[in-house]
PDB file of all heavy atoms in Angstrom:
ATOM      1  N   ALA Q   1      13.274  59.328   8.087  1.00 97.00           N
ATOM      2  CA  ALA Q   1      13.374  59.628   6.654  1.00 97.00           C
ATOM      3  C   ALA Q   1      12.440  58.712   5.883  1.00 97.00           C
ATOM      4  O   ALA Q   1      12.092  57.623   6.342  1.00 97.00           O
ATOM      5  CB  ALA Q   1      14.816  59.456   6.175  1.00 97.00           C
ATOM      6  N   GLU Q   2      12.033  59.187   4.698  1.00 96.00           N
ATOM      7  CA  GLU Q   2      11.172  58.359   3.859  1.00 96.00           C
ATOM      8  C   GLU Q   2      11.781  58.224   2.470  1.00 96.00           C
ATOM      9  O   GLU Q   2      12.535  59.093   2.007  1.00 96.00           O
ATOM     10  CB  GLU Q   2       9.750  58.921   3.785  1.00 96.00           C
ATOM     11  CG  GLU Q   2       9.652  60.304   3.202  1.00 96.00           C
ATOM     12  CD  GLU Q   2       8.232  60.853   3.210  1.00 96.00           C
ATOM     13  OE1 GLU Q   2       7.418  60.401   4.051  1.00 96.00           O
ATOM     14  OE2 GLU Q   2       7.954  61.731   2.371  1.00 96.00           O
ATOM     15  N   HIS Q   3      11.463  57.129   1.827  1.00 95.00           N
ATOM     16  CA  HIS Q   3      11.993  56.855   0.492  1.00 95.00           C
ATOM     17  C   HIS Q   3      11.451  57.896  -0.493  1.00 95.00           C
ATOM     18  O   HIS Q   3      10.287  58.277  -0.433  1.00 95.00           O
ATOM     19  CB  HIS Q   3      11.583  55.449   0.067  1.00 95.00           C
ATOM     20  CG  HIS Q   3      12.408  54.900  -1.044  1.00 95.00           C
ATOM     21  ND1 HIS Q   3      12.216  55.268  -2.366  1.00 95.00           N
ATOM     22  CD2 HIS Q   3      13.446  54.007  -1.046  1.00 95.00           C
ATOM     23  CE1 HIS Q   3      13.085  54.625  -3.130  1.00 95.00           C
ATOM     24  NE2 HIS Q   3      13.853  53.859  -2.353  1.00 95.00           N
ATOM     25  N   LYS Q   4      12.325  58.344  -1.381  1.00 93.00           N
ATOM     26  CA  LYS Q   4      11.921  59.403  -2.318  1.00 93.00           C
ATOM     27  C   LYS Q   4      10.810  58.959  -3.254  1.00 93.00           C
ATOM     28  O   LYS Q   4       9.982  59.775  -3.677  1.00 93.00           O
ATOM     29  CB  LYS Q   4      13.137  59.837  -3.151  1.00 93.00           C
ATOM     30  CG  LYS Q   4      14.149  60.653  -2.376  1.00 93.00           C
ATOM     31  CD  LYS Q   4      15.214  61.259  -3.286  1.00 93.00           C
ATOM     32  CE  LYS Q   4      16.098  60.191  -3.915  1.00 93.00           C
ATOM     33  NZ  LYS Q   4      17.186  60.812  -4.743  1.00 93.00           N
ATOM     34  N   TYR Q   5      10.784  57.674  -3.566  1.00 92.00           N
ATOM     35  CA  TYR Q   5       9.801  57.201  -4.545  1.00 92.00           C
ATOM     36  C   TYR Q   5       8.726  56.316  -3.921  1.00 92.00           C
ATOM     37  O   TYR Q   5       7.620  56.198  -4.470  1.00 92.00           O
ATOM     38  CB  TYR Q   5      10.515  56.423  -5.655  1.00 92.00           C
ATOM     39  CG  TYR Q   5      11.676  57.201  -6.247  1.00 92.00           C
ATOM     40  CD1 TYR Q   5      12.983  56.767  -6.062  1.00 92.00           C
ATOM     41  CD2 TYR Q   5      11.456  58.376  -6.961  1.00 92.00           C
ATOM     42  CE1 TYR Q   5      14.058  57.472  -6.595  1.00 92.00           C
ATOM     43  CE2 TYR Q   5      12.521  59.104  -7.489  1.00 92.00           C
ATOM     44  CZ  TYR Q   5      13.819  58.652  -7.300  1.00 92.00           C
ATOM     45  OH  TYR Q   5      14.873  59.372  -7.813  1.00 92.00           O
ATOM     46  N   ILE Q   6       9.059  55.687  -2.808  1.00 92.00           N
ATOM     47  CA  ILE Q   6       8.073  54.832  -2.127  1.00 92.00           C
ATOM     48  C   ILE Q   6       7.803  55.476  -0.767  1.00 92.00           C
ATOM     49  O   ILE Q   6       8.479  55.199   0.224  1.00 92.00           O
ATOM     50  CB  ILE Q   6       8.613  53.393  -1.951  1.00 92.00           C
ATOM     51  CG1 ILE Q   6       9.134  52.850  -3.280  1.00 92.00           C
ATOM     52  CG2 ILE Q   6       7.529  52.475  -1.375  1.00 92.00           C
ATOM     53  CD1 ILE Q   6       9.864  51.535  -3.159  1.00 92.00           C
ATOM     54  N   LYS Q   7       6.836  56.366  -0.721  1.00 85.00           N
ATOM     55  CA  LYS Q   7       6.623  57.204   0.463  1.00 85.00           C
ATOM     56  C   LYS Q   7       6.281  56.394   1.716  1.00 85.00           C
ATOM     57  O   LYS Q   7       6.525  56.833   2.836  1.00 85.00           O
ATOM     58  CB  LYS Q   7       5.493  58.215   0.182  1.00 85.00           C
ATOM     59  CG  LYS Q   7       5.787  59.174  -0.956  1.00 85.00           C
ATOM     60  CD  LYS Q   7       7.018  60.017  -0.678  1.00 85.00           C
ATOM     61  CE  LYS Q   7       7.261  61.036  -1.786  1.00 85.00           C
ATOM     62  NZ  LYS Q   7       8.496  61.837  -1.560  1.00 85.00           N
ATOM     63  N   GLN Q   8       5.688  55.221   1.520  1.00 89.00           N
ATOM     64  CA  GLN Q   8       5.315  54.413   2.683  1.00 89.00           C
ATOM     65  C   GLN Q   8       6.536  53.773   3.359  1.00 89.00           C
ATOM     66  O   GLN Q   8       6.452  53.308   4.489  1.00 89.00           O
ATOM     67  CB  GLN Q   8       4.332  53.302   2.280  1.00 89.00           C
ATOM     68  CG  GLN Q   8       2.984  53.795   1.775  1.00 89.00           C
ATOM     69  CD  GLN Q   8       3.030  54.138   0.286  1.00 89.00           C
ATOM     70  OE1 GLN Q   8       4.086  54.084  -0.330  1.00 89.00           O
ATOM     71  NE2 GLN Q   8       1.875  54.507  -0.267  1.00 89.00           N
ATOM     72  N   GLN Q   9       7.654  53.751   2.664  1.00 92.00           N
ATOM     73  CA  GLN Q   9       8.854  53.113   3.207  1.00 92.00           C
ATOM     74  C   GLN Q   9       9.648  54.132   4.030  1.00 92.00           C
ATOM     75  O   GLN Q   9      10.192  55.091   3.495  1.00 92.00           O
ATOM     76  CB  GLN Q   9       9.736  52.556   2.083  1.00 92.00           C
ATOM     77  CG  GLN Q   9      10.894  51.725   2.602  1.00 92.00           C
ATOM     78  CD  GLN Q   9      11.724  51.153   1.477  1.00 92.00           C
ATOM     79  OE1 GLN Q   9      12.860  51.549   1.283  1.00 92.00           O
ATOM     80  NE2 GLN Q   9      11.144  50.217   0.725  1.00 92.00           N
ATOM     81  N   LYS Q  10       9.681  53.895   5.334  1.00 95.00           N
ATOM     82  CA  LYS Q  10      10.355  54.824   6.245  1.00 95.00           C
ATOM     83  C   LYS Q  10      11.558  54.141   6.883  1.00 95.00           C
ATOM     84  O   LYS Q  10      11.535  52.928   7.131  1.00 95.00           O
ATOM     85  CB  LYS Q  10       9.398  55.325   7.330  1.00 95.00           C
ATOM     86  CG  LYS Q  10       8.285  56.226   6.791  1.00 95.00           C
ATOM     87  CD  LYS Q  10       7.346  56.664   7.892  1.00 95.00           C
ATOM     88  CE  LYS Q  10       6.385  57.744   7.409  1.00 95.00           C
ATOM     89  NZ  LYS Q  10       5.613  57.352   6.232  1.00 95.00           N
ATOM     90  N   VAL Q  11      12.587  54.921   7.170  1.00 96.00           N
ATOM     91  CA  VAL Q  11      13.775  54.418   7.837  1.00 96.00           C
ATOM     92  C   VAL Q  11      14.201  55.431   8.899  1.00 96.00           C
ATOM     93  O   VAL Q  11      13.752  56.576   8.915  1.00 96.00           O
ATOM     94  CB  VAL Q  11      14.946  54.198   6.847  1.00 96.00           C
ATOM     95  CG1 VAL Q  11      14.614  53.113   5.845  1.00 96.00           C
ATOM     96  CG2 VAL Q  11      15.344  55.502   6.166  1.00 96.00           C
ATOM     97  N   ALA Q  12      15.078  54.968   9.797  1.00 94.00           N
ATOM     98  CA  ALA Q  12      15.723  55.866  10.753  1.00 94.00           C
ATOM     99  C   ALA Q  12      17.170  56.030  10.303  1.00 94.00           C
ATOM    100  O   ALA Q  12      17.843  55.052   9.983  1.00 94.00           O
ATOM    101  CB  ALA Q  12      15.660  55.275  12.158  1.00 94.00           C
ATOM    102  N   ILE Q  13      17.622  57.266  10.259  1.00 93.00           N
ATOM    103  CA  ILE Q  13      18.998  57.539   9.851  1.00 93.00           C
ATOM    104  C   ILE Q  13      19.742  58.165  11.019  1.00 93.00           C
ATOM    105  O   ILE Q  13      19.342  59.217  11.535  1.00 93.00           O
ATOM    106  CB  ILE Q  13      19.053  58.482   8.635  1.00 93.00           C
ATOM    107  CG1 ILE Q  13      18.376  57.819   7.433  1.00 93.00           C
ATOM    108  CG2 ILE Q  13      20.507  58.854   8.307  1.00 93.00           C
ATOM    109  CD1 ILE Q  13      18.375  58.675   6.176  1.00 93.00           C
ATOM    110  N   LYS Q  14      20.808  57.506  11.439  1.00 90.00           N
ATOM    111  CA  LYS Q  14      21.643  58.028  12.519  1.00 90.00           C
ATOM    112  C   LYS Q  14      22.829  58.755  11.904  1.00 90.00           C
ATOM    113  O   LYS Q  14      23.601  58.171  11.134  1.00 90.00           O
ATOM    114  CB  LYS Q  14      22.124  56.910  13.438  1.00 90.00           C
ATOM    115  CG  LYS Q  14      22.878  57.428  14.656  1.00 90.00           C
ATOM    116  CD  LYS Q  14      22.955  56.369  15.745  1.00 90.00           C
ATOM    117  CE  LYS Q  14      23.368  56.983  17.058  1.00 90.00           C
ATOM    118  NZ  LYS Q  14      23.270  56.050  18.175  1.00 90.00           N
ATOM    119  N   VAL Q  15      22.959  60.021  12.248  1.00 91.00           N
ATOM    120  CA  VAL Q  15      24.060  60.837  11.767  1.00 91.00           C
ATOM    121  C   VAL Q  15      25.074  60.952  12.890  1.00 91.00           C
ATOM    122  O   VAL Q  15      24.771  61.495  13.959  1.00 91.00           O
ATOM    123  CB  VAL Q  15      23.581  62.237  11.333  1.00 91.00           C
ATOM    124  CG1 VAL Q  15      24.743  63.035  10.737  1.00 91.00           C
ATOM    125  CG2 VAL Q  15      22.434  62.121  10.334  1.00 91.00           C
ATOM    126  N   ILE Q  16      26.269  60.433  12.686  1.00 86.00           N
ATOM    127  CA  ILE Q  16      27.294  60.436  13.724  1.00 86.00           C
ATOM    128  C   ILE Q  16      27.794  61.864  13.952  1.00 86.00           C
ATOM    129  O   ILE Q  16      28.036  62.615  12.990  1.00 86.00           O
ATOM    130  CB  ILE Q  16      28.475  59.515  13.331  1.00 86.00           C
ATOM    131  CG1 ILE Q  16      27.968  58.103  13.033  1.00 86.00           C
ATOM    132  CG2 ILE Q  16      29.520  59.487  14.454  1.00 86.00           C
ATOM    133  CD1 ILE Q  16      27.245  57.427  14.160  1.00 86.00           C
ATOM    134  N   ASN Q  17      27.924  62.236  15.236  1.00 85.00           N
ATOM    135  CA  ASN Q  17      28.401  63.577  15.568  1.00 85.00           C
ATOM    136  C   ASN Q  17      29.745  63.858  14.905  1.00 85.00           C
ATOM    137  O   ASN Q  17      30.635  63.001  14.875  1.00 85.00           O
ATOM    138  CB  ASN Q  17      28.554  63.730  17.089  1.00 85.00           C
ATOM    139  CG  ASN Q  17      27.215  63.776  17.798  1.00 85.00           C
ATOM    140  OD1 ASN Q  17      26.196  64.128  17.199  1.00 85.00           O
ATOM    141  ND2 ASN Q  17      27.203  63.405  19.062  1.00 85.00           N
ATOM    142  N   SER Q  18      29.889  65.072  14.399  1.00 83.00           N
ATOM    143  CA  SER Q  18      31.103  65.425  13.655  1.00 83.00           C
ATOM    144  C   SER Q  18      32.360  65.320  14.503  1.00 83.00           C
ATOM    145  O   SER Q  18      33.431  64.991  13.989  1.00 83.00           O
ATOM    146  CB  SER Q  18      30.976  66.848  13.096  1.00 83.00           C
ATOM    147  OG  SER Q  18      30.750  67.779  14.157  1.00 83.00           O
ATOM    148  N   ASP Q  19      32.243  65.571  15.826  1.00 81.00           N
ATOM    149  CA  ASP Q  19      33.433  65.503  16.674  1.00 81.00           C
ATOM    150  C   ASP Q  19      33.910  64.078  16.905  1.00 81.00           C
ATOM    151  O   ASP Q  19      34.981  63.850  17.470  1.00 81.00           O
ATOM    152  CB  ASP Q  19      33.200  66.209  18.003  1.00 81.00           C
ATOM    153  CG  ASP Q  19      32.047  65.608  18.806  1.00 81.00           C
ATOM    154  OD1 ASP Q  19      31.314  64.767  18.257  1.00 81.00           O
ATOM    155  OD2 ASP Q  19      31.884  65.971  19.989  1.00 81.00           O
ATOM    156  N   MET Q  20      33.095  63.095  16.494  1.00 79.00           N
ATOM    157  CA  MET Q  20      33.487  61.693  16.636  1.00 79.00           C
ATOM    158  C   MET Q  20      33.950  61.092  15.313  1.00 79.00           C
ATOM    159  O   MET Q  20      34.371  59.939  15.263  1.00 79.00           O
ATOM    160  CB  MET Q  20      32.322  60.860  17.179  1.00 79.00           C
ATOM    161  CG  MET Q  20      31.885  61.245  18.586  1.00 79.00           C
ATOM    162  SD  MET Q  20      30.731  60.046  19.273  1.00 79.00           S
ATOM    163  CE  MET Q  20      31.793  58.620  19.489  1.00 79.00           C
ATOM    164  N   VAL Q  21      33.860  61.875  14.257  1.00 83.00           N
ATOM    165  CA  VAL Q  21      34.192  61.349  12.934  1.00 83.00           C
ATOM    166  C   VAL Q  21      35.668  61.594  12.634  1.00 83.00           C
ATOM    167  O   VAL Q  21      36.158  62.728  12.658  1.00 83.00           O
ATOM    168  CB  VAL Q  21      33.324  62.008  11.850  1.00 83.00           C
ATOM    169  CG1 VAL Q  21      33.761  61.535  10.465  1.00 83.00           C
ATOM    170  CG2 VAL Q  21      31.852  61.674  12.074  1.00 83.00           C
ATOM    171  N   ASN Q  22      36.380  60.517  12.381  1.00 84.00           N
ATOM    172  CA  ASN Q  22      37.770  60.582  11.940  1.00 84.00           C
ATOM    173  C   ASN Q  22      38.047  59.320  11.132  1.00 84.00           C
ATOM    174  O   ASN Q  22      37.160  58.478  10.942  1.00 84.00           O
ATOM    175  CB  ASN Q  22      38.730  60.719  13.135  1.00 84.00           C
ATOM    176  CG  ASN Q  22      38.490  59.655  14.196  1.00 84.00           C
ATOM    177  OD1 ASN Q  22      38.367  58.464  13.881  1.00 84.00           O
ATOM    178  ND2 ASN Q  22      38.400  60.065  15.456  1.00 84.00           N
ATOM    179  N   ASP Q  23      39.252  59.194  10.664  1.00 83.00           N
ATOM    180  CA  ASP Q  23      39.576  58.032   9.832  1.00 83.00           C
ATOM    181  C   ASP Q  23      39.370  56.720  10.588  1.00 83.00           C
ATOM    182  O   ASP Q  23      38.935  55.715  10.019  1.00 83.00           O
ATOM    183  CB  ASP Q  23      41.031  58.133   9.343  1.00 83.00           C
ATOM    184  CG  ASP Q  23      41.215  59.249   8.318  1.00 83.00           C
ATOM    185  OD1 ASP Q  23      40.193  59.678   7.736  1.00 83.00           O
ATOM    186  OD2 ASP Q  23      42.360  59.689   8.109  1.00 83.00           O
ATOM    187  N   PHE Q  24      39.666  56.745  11.906  1.00 79.00           N
ATOM    188  CA  PHE Q  24      39.511  55.531  12.713  1.00 79.00           C
ATOM    189  C   PHE Q  24      38.049  55.117  12.805  1.00 79.00           C
ATOM    190  O   PHE Q  24      37.700  53.951  12.580  1.00 79.00           O
ATOM    191  CB  PHE Q  24      40.089  55.759  14.111  1.00 79.00           C
ATOM    192  CG  PHE Q  24      39.813  54.636  15.067  1.00 79.00           C
ATOM    193  CD1 PHE Q  24      40.545  53.456  15.016  1.00 79.00           C
ATOM    194  CD2 PHE Q  24      38.805  54.736  16.016  1.00 79.00           C
ATOM    195  CE1 PHE Q  24      40.282  52.413  15.886  1.00 79.00           C
ATOM    196  CE2 PHE Q  24      38.534  53.702  16.893  1.00 79.00           C
ATOM    197  CZ  PHE Q  24      39.280  52.540  16.829  1.00 79.00           C
ATOM    198  N   THR Q  25      37.169  56.088  13.151  1.00 77.00           N
ATOM    199  CA  THR Q  25      35.751  55.735  13.308  1.00 77.00           C
ATOM    200  C   THR Q  25      35.129  55.353  11.969  1.00 77.00           C
ATOM    201  O   THR Q  25      34.255  54.471  11.914  1.00 77.00           O
ATOM    202  CB  THR Q  25      34.949  56.887  13.948  1.00 77.00           C
ATOM    203  OG1 THR Q  25      35.137  58.088  13.180  1.00 77.00           O
ATOM    204  CG2 THR Q  25      35.379  57.121  15.382  1.00 77.00           C
ATOM    205  N   ARG Q  26      35.551  56.009  10.897  1.00 80.00           N
ATOM    206  CA  ARG Q  26      35.022  55.626   9.580  1.00 80.00           C
ATOM    207  C   ARG Q  26      35.354  54.172   9.262  1.00 80.00           C
ATOM    208  O   ARG Q  26      34.498  53.412   8.812  1.00 80.00           O
ATOM    209  CB  ARG Q  26      35.596  56.545   8.498  1.00 80.00           C
ATOM    210  CG  ARG Q  26      35.038  57.960   8.507  1.00 80.00           C
ATOM    211  CD  ARG Q  26      35.451  58.719   7.256  1.00 80.00           C
ATOM    212  NE  ARG Q  26      35.125  60.134   7.370  1.00 80.00           N
ATOM    213  CZ  ARG Q  26      35.979  61.070   7.772  1.00 80.00           C
ATOM    214  NH1 ARG Q  26      37.226  60.729   8.085  1.00 80.00           N
ATOM    215  NH2 ARG Q  26      35.607  62.322   7.850  1.00 80.00           N
ATOM    216  N   GLN Q  27      36.617  53.800   9.499  1.00 80.00           N
ATOM    217  CA  GLN Q  27      37.039  52.438   9.202  1.00 80.00           C
ATOM    218  C   GLN Q  27      36.361  51.442  10.133  1.00 80.00           C
ATOM    219  O   GLN Q  27      35.901  50.383   9.704  1.00 80.00           O
ATOM    220  CB  GLN Q  27      38.560  52.316   9.325  1.00 80.00           C
ATOM    221  CG  GLN Q  27      39.122  50.939   8.984  1.00 80.00           C
ATOM    222  CD  GLN Q  27      38.801  50.493   7.570  1.00 80.00           C
ATOM    223  OE1 GLN Q  27      38.674  51.338   6.661  1.00 80.00           O
ATOM    224  NE2 GLN Q  27      38.635  49.188   7.366  1.00 80.00           N
ATOM    225  N   ARG Q  28      36.275  51.820  11.431  1.00 78.00           N
ATOM    226  CA  ARG Q  28      35.679  50.912  12.416  1.00 78.00           C
ATOM    227  C   ARG Q  28      34.207  50.656  12.102  1.00 78.00           C
ATOM    228  O   ARG Q  28      33.743  49.512  12.097  1.00 78.00           O
ATOM    229  CB  ARG Q  28      35.830  51.508  13.817  1.00 78.00           C
ATOM    230  CG  ARG Q  28      35.229  50.639  14.904  1.00 78.00           C
ATOM    231  CD  ARG Q  28      35.543  51.199  16.265  1.00 78.00           C
ATOM    232  NE  ARG Q  28      34.981  50.346  17.295  1.00 78.00           N
ATOM    233  CZ  ARG Q  28      35.565  50.083  18.461  1.00 78.00           C
ATOM    234  NH1 ARG Q  28      36.748  50.590  18.718  1.00 78.00           N
ATOM    235  NH2 ARG Q  28      34.985  49.313  19.346  1.00 78.00           N
ATOM    236  N   LEU Q  29      33.456  51.719  11.828  1.00 79.00           N
ATOM    237  CA  LEU Q  29      32.031  51.555  11.554  1.00 79.00           C
ATOM    238  C   LEU Q  29      31.802  50.854  10.222  1.00 79.00           C
ATOM    239  O   LEU Q  29      30.824  50.110  10.068  1.00 79.00           O
ATOM    240  CB  LEU Q  29      31.338  52.916  11.576  1.00 79.00           C
ATOM    241  CG  LEU Q  29      31.142  53.506  12.974  1.00 79.00           C
ATOM    242  CD1 LEU Q  29      30.621  54.934  12.886  1.00 79.00           C
ATOM    243  CD2 LEU Q  29      30.179  52.656  13.787  1.00 79.00           C
ATOM    244  N   LYS Q  30      32.684  51.062   9.260  1.00 80.00           N
ATOM    245  CA  LYS Q  30      32.553  50.355   7.980  1.00 80.00           C
ATOM    246  C   LYS Q  30      32.699  48.849   8.193  1.00 80.00           C
ATOM    247  O   LYS Q  30      31.928  48.044   7.654  1.00 80.00           O
ATOM    248  CB  LYS Q  30      33.601  50.858   7.001  1.00 80.00           C
ATOM    249  CG  LYS Q  30      33.575  50.158   5.644  1.00 80.00           C
ATOM    250  CD  LYS Q  30      34.637  50.738   4.726  1.00 80.00           C
ATOM    251  CE  LYS Q  30      34.607  50.039   3.361  1.00 80.00           C
ATOM    252  NZ  LYS Q  30      34.967  48.602   3.473  1.00 80.00           N
ATOM    253  N   GLU Q  31      33.687  48.453   8.993  1.00 77.00           N
ATOM    254  CA  GLU Q  31      33.898  47.039   9.271  1.00 77.00           C
ATOM    255  C   GLU Q  31      32.711  46.448  10.017  1.00 77.00           C
ATOM    256  O   GLU Q  31      32.252  45.331   9.718  1.00 77.00           O
ATOM    257  CB  GLU Q  31      35.184  46.850  10.084  1.00 77.00           C
ATOM    258  CG  GLU Q  31      36.455  47.173   9.297  1.00 77.00           C
ATOM    259  CD  GLU Q  31      37.691  47.198  10.175  1.00 77.00           C
ATOM    260  OE1 GLU Q  31      37.520  47.074  11.422  1.00 77.00           O
ATOM    261  OE2 GLU Q  31      38.803  47.355   9.654  1.00 77.00           O
ATOM    262  N   GLU Q  32      32.208  47.208  10.990  1.00 74.00           N
ATOM    263  CA  GLU Q  32      31.071  46.698  11.765  1.00 74.00           C
ATOM    264  C   GLU Q  32      29.808  46.640  10.927  1.00 74.00           C
ATOM    265  O   GLU Q  32      28.967  45.753  11.114  1.00 74.00           O
ATOM    266  CB  GLU Q  32      30.856  47.556  13.013  1.00 74.00           C
ATOM    267  CG  GLU Q  32      31.966  47.403  14.030  1.00 74.00           C
ATOM    268  CD  GLU Q  32      31.594  47.972  15.389  1.00 74.00           C
ATOM    269  OE1 GLU Q  32      30.453  48.432  15.537  1.00 74.00           O
ATOM    270  OE2 GLU Q  32      32.450  47.926  16.276  1.00 74.00           O
ATOM    271  N   ALA Q  33      29.655  47.593  10.003  1.00 79.00           N
ATOM    272  CA  ALA Q  33      28.455  47.611   9.172  1.00 79.00           C
ATOM    273  C   ALA Q  33      28.285  46.303   8.412  1.00 79.00           C
ATOM    274  O   ALA Q  33      27.164  45.804   8.236  1.00 79.00           O
ATOM    275  CB  ALA Q  33      28.525  48.782   8.193  1.00 79.00           C
ATOM    276  N   GLU Q  34      29.403  45.720   7.961  1.00 79.00           N
ATOM    277  CA  GLU Q  34      29.344  44.452   7.240  1.00 79.00           C
ATOM    278  C   GLU Q  34      28.785  43.343   8.122  1.00 79.00           C
ATOM    279  O   GLU Q  34      28.065  42.465   7.648  1.00 79.00           O
ATOM    280  CB  GLU Q  34      30.737  44.090   6.731  1.00 79.00           C
ATOM    281  CG  GLU Q  34      31.288  45.080   5.709  1.00 79.00           C
ATOM    282  CD  GLU Q  34      32.729  44.771   5.330  1.00 79.00           C
ATOM    283  OE1 GLU Q  34      33.284  43.798   5.883  1.00 79.00           O
ATOM    284  OE2 GLU Q  34      33.283  45.491   4.483  1.00 79.00           O
ATOM    285  N   HIS Q  35      29.138  43.369   9.418  1.00 76.00           N
ATOM    286  CA  HIS Q  35      28.624  42.359  10.343  1.00 76.00           C
ATOM    287  C   HIS Q  35      27.179  42.667  10.750  1.00 76.00           C
ATOM    288  O   HIS Q  35      26.332  41.776  10.805  1.00 76.00           O
ATOM    289  CB  HIS Q  35      29.506  42.284  11.587  1.00 76.00           C
ATOM    290  CG  HIS Q  35      30.861  41.707  11.334  1.00 76.00           C
ATOM    291  ND1 HIS Q  35      31.881  42.450  10.814  1.00 76.00           N
ATOM    292  CD2 HIS Q  35      31.340  40.453  11.517  1.00 76.00           C
ATOM    293  CE1 HIS Q  35      32.957  41.680  10.693  1.00 76.00           C
ATOM    294  NE2 HIS Q  35      32.658  40.459  11.101  1.00 76.00           N
ATOM    295  N   LEU Q  36      26.906  43.941  11.008  1.00 80.00           N
ATOM    296  CA  LEU Q  36      25.572  44.308  11.480  1.00 80.00           C
ATOM    297  C   LEU Q  36      24.512  44.042  10.426  1.00 80.00           C
ATOM    298  O   LEU Q  36      23.369  43.704  10.749  1.00 80.00           O
ATOM    299  CB  LEU Q  36      25.551  45.787  11.888  1.00 80.00           C
ATOM    300  CG  LEU Q  36      26.472  46.159  13.055  1.00 80.00           C
ATOM    301  CD1 LEU Q  36      26.542  47.664  13.233  1.00 80.00           C
ATOM    302  CD2 LEU Q  36      26.000  45.496  14.344  1.00 80.00           C
ATOM    303  N   ALA Q  37      24.891  44.187   9.155  1.00 84.00           N
ATOM    304  CA  ALA Q  37      23.932  43.940   8.081  1.00 84.00           C
ATOM    305  C   ALA Q  37      23.502  42.479   8.032  1.00 84.00           C
ATOM    306  O   ALA Q  37      22.456  42.147   7.467  1.00 84.00           O
ATOM    307  CB  ALA Q  37      24.534  44.355   6.742  1.00 84.00           C
TER     308      ALA Q  37
END
């Protein structure tokens, strides 16, 4: 993906499979995101 306004800025976006998404995984990944950042 690229930034809408800064075209040179590119990122990778991982979309979690829908069959793995539930309240548990949302909470777990949210908690981990704070550490991973």
Side-chain angles (χ1 to χ4, degrees):
E2 61 183 24
H3 199 282
K4 287 190 293 183
Y5 309 113
I6 309 171
K7 298 299 183 182
Q8 295 84 355
Q9 188 178 111
K10 292 178 170 56
V11 295
I13 297 180
K14 186 162 195 172
V15 184
I16 304 301
N17 289 336
S18 58
D19 60 350
M20 296 190 69
V21 175
N22 52 47
D23 290 341
F24 172 78
T25 55
R26 288 191 190 95
Q27 182 59 30
R28 180 174 181 143
L29 286 172
K30 178 179 180 296
E31 292 171 354
E32 291 194 3
E34 296 174 359
H35 290 81
L36 297 171

